[in-house]
């Protein structure tokens, strides 16, 4: 297997968006992906870049990605927030996720973030098991809150 981890480019966005949709199906929420390709590219590679990503390639085909951005905590300072992390289903169990995840940890270290945070669904036992290998602290007691674009517009 010829594995390559590299920084994402704008040309990767269509494939990354395909993987985002695959992740949404796995997480039982495919209807929640409403971002369009142009917005996605602009947010990652436009004048006001808000996200960065690493992609995992096998034989020059993108089989996974880790998308992150800077999150500011009033308690901890600048932290790397891992928004999405996926290896396509047929490539899982080959060590690709480990290499990709560790690249993100290295990024947090190199950029001197005060830590790295992410979310995992409480029913996603394979992901929980994966993160437990890194001795990640999995918090309980916090609920996610959000307003949709429609709710914001209607305010």
């Amino acid at each position: 297997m010829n594995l390559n981890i590299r920084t994402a480019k704008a040309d990767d966005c269509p494939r990354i968006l395909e993987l985002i949709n695959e992740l949404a199906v796995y997480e039982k929420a495919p209807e929640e992906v409403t971002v369009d390709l142009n917005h996605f590219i602009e947010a990652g590679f436009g004048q006001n870049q808000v996200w960065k990503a690493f992609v995992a390639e096998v034989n020059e085909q993108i089989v996974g990605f880790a998308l992150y951005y800077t999150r500011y905590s009033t308690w901890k300072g600048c932290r790397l927030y891992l928004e999405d992390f996926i290896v396509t289903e047929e490539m899982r169990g080959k060590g690709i996720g480990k290499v990709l995840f560790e690249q993100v940890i290295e990024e947090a270290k190199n950029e001197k973030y005060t830590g790295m945070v992410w979310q995992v669904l409480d029913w996603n036992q394979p992901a929980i098991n994966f993160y437990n290998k890194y001795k990640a602290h999995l918090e309980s007691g916090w609920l996610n809150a959000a307003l949709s674009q429609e709710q914001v517009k209607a305010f």
Side-chain angles (χ1 to χ4, degrees):
M1 179 174 67
N2 183 14
L3 175 62
N4 180 41
I5 306 293
R6 63 170 174 79
T7 302
K9 305 177 296 201
D11 292 347
D12 299 326
C13 288
R15 177 62 179 143
I16 293 171
L17 205 49
E18 287 175 8
L19 291 171
I20 288 168
N21 281 291
E22 180 180 327
L23 179 60
V25 168
Y26 177 77
E27 292 183 348
K28 302 175 179 116
E31 69 286 349
E32 295 296 325
V33 179
T34 59
V35 68
D36 66 50
L37 181 59
N38 290 333
H39 179 86
F40 187 65
I41 293 169
E42 181 64 26
F45 298 95
Q47 201 163 2
N48 296 312
Q49 180 184 19
V50 296
W51 63 263
K52 296 179 181 178
F54 292 109
V55 296
E57 293 178 314
V58 173
N59 301 324
E60 300 181 16
Q61 297 291 322
I62 296 173
V63 298
F65 76 92
L67 187 145
Y68 63 95
Y69 54 87
T70 301
R71 172 183 167 190
Y72 188 79
S73 165
T74 57
W75 291 7
K76 306 288 185 186
C78 292
R79 312 196 93 195
L80 185 148
Y81 186 82
L82 180 59
E83 173 66 24
D84 273 339
F85 169 53
I86 183 175
V87 173
T88 193
E89 188 173 7
E90 64 268 12
M91 297 303 288
R92 291 183 195 143
K94 300 178 185 305
I96 297 167
K98 177 185 186 304
V99 175
L100 186 56
F101 189 70
E102 289 176 2
Q103 181 68 47
V104 178
I105 295 171
E106 283 295 324
E107 181 76 359
K109 181 179 172 181
N110 293 340
E111 296 298 318
K112 298 182 178 25
Y113 284 102
T114 62
M116 181 172 142
V117 293
W118 64 93
Q119 294 174 303
V120 60
L121 291 166
D122 60 1
W123 57 259
N124 190 346
Q125 199 59 52
I128 291 168
N129 294 342
F130 176 84
Y131 298 133
N132 281 336
K133 292 177 186 174
Y134 291 89
K135 297 183 173 35
H137 175 72
L138 301 176
E139 294 180 18
S140 62
W142 289 87
L143 299 175
N144 293 319
L147 293 175
S148 70
Q149 183 179 24
E150 292 77 24
Q151 289 171 302
V152 171
K153 282 181 180 179
F155 180 74

